[in-house]
Amino acid sequence: MPILGAHVEASGGLHLAFARAAAMGAEVLQVHPTPPHYWGSPRLDEERVERFREAAARAGCPPFFFHAVYLINLASADPMLRQRSESTLAGYLATADLLGIDGVIFHTGSHKGAGFDAVLPVIAGHLSRVLERADPRRARLLIENNAGAGGCVGARFEELRAMIDAVGDPRVGTCFDTCHAFASGYDLRTPEAVAATLDEWDRVVGLERLEVIHCNDSQAGLGSNRDRHANLGQGQIGEEGFRALLHDPRLAKVPFILEVPGLAGKGPDAASLEALRRLAAS
Ligand SMILES: [Zn+2]
Ligand SMILES: [Zn+2]
């Protein structure tokens, strides 16, 4: 069975995320270490790094990921915005490495119609400098696929591959969001569709570059380009698709992270984890 977990609140201190994860039954964690709709990078003094490391050790060092702020846009025509995005991402990656966690998941941004080929060299330049500035030994830089609205980069698997190749650094990997893939036209509703989408991923991106799965159902339809997460089984992908994903031997070692609304609409909760675990076991 894959490792199953969730996005967890980190308010009040990153070290508190471990107890919250344990309370909901999450064995892998993702947090927003800074508010996702504001600019900022996590900066921790020695004492807080120590507190985090102690809490991680007590929790058995579960896989742990940062999700970067949503403002990042490495594909923008505005050089100031791109520079700010680069600095923010470098700060995220450096802190992730300092804490000894697994990686930073981020959205590349939008070219707003300029076209992917035109912005690829620019994106690759920024990503290379992010790696140079943070120079992580362990933490990975993970590009997330997206739903494909408004010129957003990385909806097609080919674009993920092109960015990986253009950077050419083994510290770059990917995060596969099921809701985003579905919204951008990759079917996941049946065992056959899941197998075909994973075959396509393997052919284009490579399964060895798939390091995290964001496991979310989709309110919006196949190819709708709309990013609306739903609880598992309450969206258009449905339980059968998730059961197939959770049982695919190719994903047996990939952590699954829920970013679902939860029962109360406040994010993943114990019931969401229970639903995920039930699908993985049945
Ligand atoms: Zn994301
Ligand atoms: Zn996601």
Side-chain angles (χ1 to χ4, degrees), residues 6-7 48 52 90 93 128 143 165 173-174 193 203 226 238 256 282:
H7 185 92
R48 288 203 283 171
F52 180 89
L93 191 55
S128 297
I143 307 172
D165 285 346
T174 57
R203 187 178 62 75
R226 289 176 62 221
F256 279 61
S282 64

Side-chain angles (χ1 to χ4, degrees), residues 104-234:
V104 176
I105 297 162
F106 72 100
H107 303 182
T108 318
S110 166
H111 58 63
K112 308 228 195 282
F116 176 72
D117 293 343
V119 293
L120 176 60
V122 175
I123 295 170
H126 286 297
L127 290 177
S128 297
R129 280 190 296 281
V130 166
L131 289 162
E132 202 180 293
R133 288 168 70 170
D135 194 23
R137 284 167 300 170
R138 164 152 189 238
R140 320 250 319 137
L141 188 55
L142 301 171
I143 307 172
E144 180 172 354
N145 67 315
N146 69 71
C152 276
V153 169
R156 304 301 306 167
F157 296 170
E158 286 78 5
E159 296 184 354
L160 298 172
R161 180 76 230 179
M163 288 189 276
I164 289 168
D165 285 346
V167 179
D169 190 305
R171 294 174 292 185
V172 177
T174 57
C175 167
F176 177 80
D177 188 305
T178 54
C179 169
H180 301 173
F182 186 71
S184 61
Y186 296 100
D187 198 359
L188 294 165
R189 289 174 291 193
T190 62
E192 296 73 27
V194 165
T197 293
L198 288 179
D199 285 349
E200 172 87 355
W201 176 282
D202 194 25
R203 187 178 62 75
V204 177
V205 187
L207 281 163
E208 71 285 357
R209 298 276 187 168
L210 176 49
E211 301 184 32
V212 187
I213 291 184
H214 279 171
C215 189
N216 307 308
D217 210 329
S218 173
Q219 285 180 34
L222 178 68
S224 62
N225 295 127
R226 289 176 62 221
D227 182 4
R228 296 276 184 279
H229 295 191
N231 292 322
L232 301 190
Q234 294 175 9

